[in-house]
């Protein structure tokens, strides 16, 4: 007699269902993050016209533009809020369920130097290459520009969300990283220029002069 398999044994396992991203007020979440980051550094949030315009562009990128422009480049003068805005964007993405990582460009170059000597360094470098969203702060401060090549090429190829801040002028990226990397910024990056003066200078406390 032929043995009949039970329905339960032959049925395929149900496919895993990916939960939808949380529904949040992106603009409110972003500006709340900016205020908290300023407060954590004992700084007052200054909603200047430039800062509001720049922040609105970043909110637009989070909300819709990143579906096309997977990279976001915040560039301009020192001390005018680029890193704060980028971190607020990163925290907002986390609130949307995106797995995010932050690393300073200089620290990536130190990591790169240890790739052939430490397994942990290689694992961390690979994680930066493959994580869902990455914030690279202070692009241009790395000791070896080649330290970022593999990360940028792989993140470009896989269309992975990447946020950058830099004090370099936009055109200087071509000189620093070469035409192949620059061409990828041209295609994939949304640009937000920060022209304002330094918030650090305005917030600087009176210094004690010793003589």
């Amino acid at each position: 007699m032929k043995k009949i398999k039970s329905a339960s044994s032959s049925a395929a396992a149900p496919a895993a269902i990916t939960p939808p991203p949380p529904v949040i007020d992106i603009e409110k979440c972003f500006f709340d993050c900016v205020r908290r980051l300023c407060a954590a550094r004992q700084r007052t949030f200054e909603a200047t016209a430039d800062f509001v315009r720049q922040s609105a562009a970043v909110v637009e990128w989070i909300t819709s533009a990143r579906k096309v422009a997977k990279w976001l480049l915040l560039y301009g003068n020192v001390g005018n809020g680029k890193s704060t805005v980028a971190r607020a964007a990163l925290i907002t993405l986390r609130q949307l369920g995106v797995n995010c990582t932050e690393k300073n460009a200089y620290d990536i170059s130190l990591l790169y130097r240890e790739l052939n000597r430490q397994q942990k360094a290689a694992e961390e470098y690979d994680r930066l290459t493959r994580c869902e969203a990455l914030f690279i702060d202070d692009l241009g401060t790395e000791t070896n520009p080649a330290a970022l090549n593999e990360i940028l090429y792989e993140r470009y190829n896989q269309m992975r969300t990447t946020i950058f801040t830099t004090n370099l002028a936009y055109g200087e990226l071509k000189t620093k990283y070469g035409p192949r990397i620059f061409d990828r910024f041209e295609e994939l990056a949304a640009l937000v220029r920060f022209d304002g003066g330094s918030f650090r200078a305005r917030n600087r406390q009176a210094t004690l002069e010793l003589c």
Side-chain angles (χ1 to χ4, degrees):
M1 180 180 290
K2 191 179 288 186
K3 189 173 180 181
I4 301 174
K5 293 182 180 180
S6 66
S8 60
S9 63
S10 61
I17 299 174
T18 303
V23 177
I24 64 171
D25 184 329
I26 292 176
E27 183 175 10
K28 181 179 184 304
C29 180
F30 172 83
F31 279 103
D32 285 348
C33 291
V34 170
R35 291 185 181 90
R36 287 198 302 271
L37 289 167
C38 290
R41 300 179 61 200
Q42 298 182 333
R43 298 290 186 259
T44 302
F45 171 61
E46 296 183 40
T48 63
D50 279 344
F51 193 77
V52 169
R53 174 182 55 79
Q54 293 149 354
S55 296
V58 173
V59 168
E60 181 184 351
W61 177 80
I62 297 170
T63 304
S64 59
R66 68 187 174 96
K67 295 173 184 176
V68 178
K70 293 293 184 179
W71 292 3
L72 174 67
L73 176 68
L74 312 182
Y75 69 101
N77 302 331
V78 300
N80 53 18
K82 294 183 299 296
S83 295
T84 297
V85 167
R87 288 192 182 97
L90 205 69
I91 295 168
T92 304
L93 288 175
R94 286 194 184 112
Q95 294 296 315
L96 290 168
V98 179
N99 183 12
C100 303
T101 300
E102 173 183 347
K103 199 77 172 179
N104 185 277
Y106 176 76
D107 292 335
I108 292 176
S109 65
L110 298 182
L111 196 67
Y112 180 77
R113 195 169 61 187
E114 300 296 320
L115 286 185
N116 295 324
R117 290 183 281 187
Q118 292 188 19
Q119 179 64 26
K120 288 181 68 175
E123 291 172 355
E124 173 66 7
Y125 192 87
D126 186 65
R127 187 177 72 88
L128 297 176
T129 300
R130 300 179 184 278
C131 63
E132 187 176 4
L134 175 64
F135 165 34
I136 300 179
D137 195 24
D138 277 338
L139 188 68
T141 61
E142 63 277 6
T143 57
N144 180 0
L148 294 175
N149 284 355
E150 185 177 339
I151 290 175
L152 297 184
Y153 284 137
E154 181 64 22
R155 297 192 70 80
Y156 170 85
N157 290 337
Q158 299 300 324
M159 298 289 283
R160 292 193 172 109
T161 298
T162 314
I163 301 172
F164 307 86
T165 63
T166 184
N167 296 136
L168 296 172
Y170 181 59
E172 290 179 303
L173 294 177
K174 188 172 185 178
T175 304
K176 179 84 174 176
Y177 299 103
R180 294 183 66 195
I181 292 291
F182 183 74
D183 192 57
R184 284 156 172 77
F185 275 98
E186 288 276 83
E187 177 189 354
L188 212 57
L191 310 179
V192 182
R193 186 173 63 189
F194 282 65
D195 287 329
S198 172
F199 287 120
R200 296 190 189 106
R202 294 201 289 274
N203 282 309
R204 190 172 296 131
Q205 296 178 349
T207 56
L208 177 64
E209 191 172 307
L210 300 176
C211 59

